[in-house]
């Protein structure tokens, strides 16, 4: 924590604060499944060790005159057995006496639920991996004490607002997107979300992408686009199908922040002519690579940060700004059919790998949302849906099983 014990929230956090609700709680979950059942007492001890090393999540969000800010707190986190919903609500206006993250366990699985205003997937996974390493070291009586789990970044580096640090005022505005097709239909009742975990062998998926000459992300993106197309009524096929993908800006800037530091890039396609999955994957890959050039990533980041640096905006009180941010965010959501977030290959310390079975992740959302991660030869998708219709996921799975891919699907129960 910095010397003043508080800091202003970053621009991405401002969107999450303005738009969180009972359905889209703006909470992300990262989980690690071990090979043996969790000992809650040792997990509690490991958590206290972890926050001593990485106290960046030990904050309460407070309301200022112009923006929210985060203030250091000494509230002790308590590990609990998982009983409630995935991605629970961890922040609500006027209720700032609780921590905005929680650690739970179920069977062999450790869960970290985190209000997205605190950090992104990269920061959450770093914390989870540190927690898992500390836990396994306790279970195995200091067997892994020599494993270096700290990145070596200073407290100031970890709490840095990298959006402001690397902002270039000469950045150019980005072209607006067109309204996209939204799959799903009727939303689930009672502000519910449904969560699906889809697992498949990496060695059955990666060769398919390589045979086409595209990345695995592009192949999955094309498969989801085709599944969404199957859900589209004929009159809607003039609308683009747009998939938004978060990009870790630490790959483009020298940042060690544990706070949010990502942008979204978008790939769109209008199904106005017949196209195969292979052709769509190649098109998707080319457009994604074009959007991922350093010049375009940096220009987009600068464009996103620009509004906050306009003096007239800075002087507007928070109670006026928040409804505007909420309206603009909802307008942007209409331009996206689905979010696909690739968290990459998980690489815990080699000595810990025999004790780790798998990783998974979910993110609450008002739209269809899928995380992607892989570990130990298993590709895991964590899909969040606010809709009662599961047609897109069924078509996605059927397409792969028809190609011989072995798939396991797990789903949460919902109240109808």
């Amino acid at each position: 924590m910095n010397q003043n014990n508080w800091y202003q929230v970053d621009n991405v956090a401002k969107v999450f604060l303005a738009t969180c609700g009972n359905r889209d709680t703006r909470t992300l979950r990262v989980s690690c499944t071990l090979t043996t059942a969790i000992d809650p007492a040792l997990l509690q001890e490991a958590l206290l060790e972890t926050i001593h090393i990485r106290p960046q999540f030990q904050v309460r969000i407070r309301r200022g005159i112009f923006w929210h800010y985060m203030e250091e707190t000494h509230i002790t986190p308590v590990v609990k057995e998982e009983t409630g919903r995935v991605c629970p609500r961890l922040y609500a206006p006027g209720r700032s006496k609780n921590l905005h993250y929680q650690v739970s366990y179920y069977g062999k699985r450790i869960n970290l639920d985190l209000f997205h205003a605190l950090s992104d997937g990269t920061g959450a996974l770093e914390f989870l991996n540190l927690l898992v390493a500390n836990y396994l070291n306790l279970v195995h009586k200091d067997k892994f004490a020599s494993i270096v789990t700290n990145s070596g970044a200073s407290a100031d580096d970890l709490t840095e607002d990298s959006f402001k640090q690397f902002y270039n005022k000469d950045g150019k505005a980005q072209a607006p997107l067109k309204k996209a097709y939204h799959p799903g239909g009727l939303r689930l009742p009672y502000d519910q979300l449904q969560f699906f975990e889809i697992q498949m062998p990496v060695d059955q998926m990666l060769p398919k992408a390589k045979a086409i000459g595209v990345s695995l992300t592009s192949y999955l993106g094309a498969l989801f686009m085709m599944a969404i197309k199957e859900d589209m009524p004929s009159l809607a096929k003039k609308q683009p199908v747009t998939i938004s993908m978060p990009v870790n800006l630490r790959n483009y800037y020298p940042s060690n922040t544990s706070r949010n530091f990502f942008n979204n890039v978008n790939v769109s396609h209008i199904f106005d002519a017949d196209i195969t999955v292979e052709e769509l994957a190649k098109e998707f890959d080319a457009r994604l690579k074009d959007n991922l050039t350093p010049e375009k990533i940096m220009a987009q980041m600068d464009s996103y940060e620009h509004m906050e640096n306009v003096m007239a905006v800075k002087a507007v009180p928070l109670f006026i700004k928040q409804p505007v941010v909420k309206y603009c965010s909802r307008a942007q959501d209409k331009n996206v059919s689905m979010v696909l977030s690739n968290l990459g290959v998980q690489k815990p310390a080699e000595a810990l790998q025999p004790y780790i079975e798998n990783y998974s992740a979910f993110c609450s959302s008002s739209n269809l949302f899928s995380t992607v991660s892989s570990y130990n030869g298993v590709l895991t998708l964590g899909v969040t849906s606010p809709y009662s219709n599961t047609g897109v996921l069924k078509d996605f799975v059927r397409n792969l099983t028809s190609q011989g891919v072995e798939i396991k699907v797990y789903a949460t129960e919902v109240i109808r």
Side-chain angles (χ1 to χ4, degrees), residues 6 237 386:
W6 70 275
K237 290 188 177 177

Side-chain angles (χ1 to χ4, degrees), residues 92-311:
R95 289 187 287 165
S96 60
K97 293 183 179 180
N98 298 322
L99 291 169
H100 306 303
Y101 77 97
Q102 67 179 31
V103 172
S104 62
Y105 66 94
Y106 184 81
K108 300 184 291 183
R109 187 178 64 235
I110 299 172
N111 307 308
L112 169 64
D113 287 296
L114 179 73
F115 182 42
H116 217 324
L118 269 62
S119 187
D120 53 21
T122 299
L125 281 167
E126 286 177 354
F127 189 91
L128 176 67
N129 279 321
L130 179 56
L131 174 62
V132 168
N134 287 335
Y135 171 76
L136 288 173
N137 188 50
L138 290 170
V139 170
H140 297 281
K141 303 185 185 306
D142 293 334
K143 180 179 180 179
F144 307 116
S146 61
I147 292 177
V148 177
T149 54
N150 194 353
S151 66
S154 69
D156 285 342
D157 287 340
L158 291 168
T159 57
E160 174 187 84
D161 183 347
S162 291
F163 289 107
K164 278 187 167 53
Q165 176 68 21
F166 298 105
Y167 168 62
N168 174 11
K169 65 180 180 180
D170 297 324
K172 297 180 181 178
Q174 302 298 293
L177 292 169
K178 295 181 179 179
K179 184 178 179 180
Y181 173 73
H182 278 252
L186 293 175
R187 291 180 181 267
L188 290 164
Y190 315 120
D191 289 332
Q192 293 182 95
L193 291 173
Q194 191 162 10
F195 299 90
F196 302 86
E197 185 171 294
I198 305 173
Q199 295 181 356
M200 61 199 80
V202 172
D203 61 8
Q204 291 181 10
M205 290 295 293
L206 199 55
K208 296 181 184 298
K210 287 184 175 180
I212 305 171
V214 303
S215 69
L216 184 56
T217 301
S218 295
Y219 184 55
L220 289 170
L223 287 170
F224 272 118
M225 277 189 167
M226 294 295 281
I228 291 171
K229 184 201 77 166
E230 295 301 316
D231 180 75
M232 297 175 76
S234 298
L235 293 177
K237 290 188 177 177
K238 292 183 180 180
Q239 290 181 276
V241 174
T242 300
I243 293 187
S244 181
M245 288 154 286
V247 176
N248 183 4
L249 292 176
R250 298 168 186 81
N251 296 329
Y252 297 86
Y253 297 89
S255 170
N256 289 312
T257 186
S258 67
R259 298 171 66 184
N260 285 299
F261 195 40
F262 70 94
N263 262 353
N264 292 289
V265 298
N266 304 289
V267 174
S268 297
H269 179 84
I270 297 175
F271 287 95
D272 53 0
D274 290 338
I275 189 169
T276 65
V277 171
E278 292 76 14
E279 292 168 338
L280 183 58
K282 289 180 180 179
E283 177 189 296
F284 193 107
D285 197 63
R287 291 182 178 177
L288 178 58
K289 287 176 179 175
D290 181 60
N291 285 333
L292 289 177
T293 61
E295 295 77 17
K296 287 193 175 182
I297 289 291
M298 293 177 182
Q300 185 186 20
M301 199 277 280
D302 293 336
S303 173
Y304 189 77
E305 186 72 9
H306 175 71
M307 185 57 67
E308 168 60 13
N309 287 274
V310 175
M311 189 56 66

Side-chain angles (χ1 to χ4, degrees), residues 356-372:
I356 297 175
E357 195 172 282
N358 199 15
Y359 286 83
S360 61
F362 293 101
C363 190
S364 73
S365 179
S366 57
N367 293 326
L368 200 60
F369 193 116
S370 178
T371 63
V372 181

Side-chain angles (χ1 to χ4, degrees), residues 198-205 208 377-379 397 399-409:
I198 305 173
Q199 295 181 356
M200 61 199 80
V202 172
D203 61 8
Q204 291 181 10
M205 290 295 293
K208 296 181 184 298
V378 177
L379 184 68
V397 171
N399 192 335
L400 287 173
T401 54
S402 69
Q403 299 178 55
V405 178
E406 299 167 14
I407 291 182
K408 296 178 181 178
V409 180

Side-chain angles (χ1 to χ4, degrees), residues 25-39:
T25 58
R26 294 298 193 174
T27 298
L28 63 90
R29 166 178 286 196
V30 289
S31 302
C32 182
T33 302
L34 305 184
T35 55
T36 56
I38 303 302
D39 181 325

